Amino acid sequence: MRLIEGGDLVRSRYVHPRVEPEIAYIIGKPLEGDVSAAEALAAVEAVAPAMEIIDSRYRDFKFALPDVVADNSSSSGFYVGSWAKASTDVANLGIVMEVDGRPVQIGSSAAILGNPIRSLVSAARLVARAGERLEPGDIVMAGGATAAYALTPGQYVRTTFQSLGAVDFSVVA
């Protein structure tokens, strides 16, 4: 599902793709169970700016949580920018998503559960309930920081994360 950062998204492979900015974590040490935010952060090797491509078979992209489960999740791929130190504070970063140089979404990483690390804590707890754990090398996407933006061929998408970097791709037919 990982796509090459700076590369092309082939629009024809999707039903109605949308993109949303996220924070990505790469796990450096096994992580499982009822962990605290500090314990989750201690297991992180690095953080990065990211964008998730979401798609759905549902008409008009309108659905509730049970529909997401029935739809086999809406995630269809993701782009990850350059990795930064795990100690990088990503709790409240300004985020600007541009399409063809025009801002289309502006937000903050604080929109991800108040702090993106809470998403990693939740992921560790959820996988533990299934008898699994997050392993070194796993990439965990924290969740959308803004509303998803619809993609069409010919667009160039770039999202800049304050003090973290940027990630980009082009949409082709």
Side-chain angles (χ1 to χ4, degrees):
M1 290 181 53
R2 186 171 180 182
L3 302 165
I4 298 171
E5 197 272 330
D8 293 337
L9 176 96
V10 180
R11 172 64 177 83
S12 62
R13 293 185 182 159
Y14 302 88
V15 177
H16 44 78
R18 295 174 184 246
V19 60
E20 57 188 21
E22 302 205 11
I23 300 291
Y25 292 99
I26 191 162
I27 304 302
K29 298 181 211 168
L31 183 63
E32 67 181 317
D34 191 19
V35 299
S36 68
E39 291 168 321
L41 191 54
V44 171
E45 180 178 318
V47 297
M51 288 190 280
E52 183 178 21
I53 306 302
I54 56 176
D55 197 15
S56 176
R57 294 180 292 260
Y58 282 84
R59 183 180 306 278
D60 300 324
F61 214 79
K62 294 183 188 289
F63 48 85
L65 181 59
D67 300 320
V68 171
V69 174
D71 194 31
N72 302 318
S73 177
S74 292
S75 181
S76 296
F78 62 96
Y79 292 92
V80 176
S82 296
W83 293 102
K85 294 179 181 178
S87 60
T88 304
D89 184 3
V90 297
N92 188 20
L93 301 180
I95 299 171
V96 178
M97 180 191 297
E98 297 175 302
V99 173
D100 299 327
R102 181 179 59 88
V104 296
Q105 294 290 344
I106 298 174
S108 167
S109 60
I112 306 169
L113 301 177
N115 184 330
I117 197 66
R118 290 182 179 148
S119 183
L120 185 57
V121 167
S122 294
R125 292 174 180 177
L126 285 171
V127 298
R129 284 189 210 135
E132 301 288 332
R133 67 183 187 179
L134 297 173
E135 298 288 350
D138 286 348
I139 295 174
V140 177
M141 303 290 283
T146 71
Y149 185 83
L151 298 171
T152 59
Q155 294 175 320
Y156 169 71
V157 182
R158 178 180 175 86
T159 302
T160 303
F161 296 71
Q162 175 186 2
S163 73
L164 187 60
V167 60
D168 67 338
F169 65 91
S170 297
V171 183
V172 299

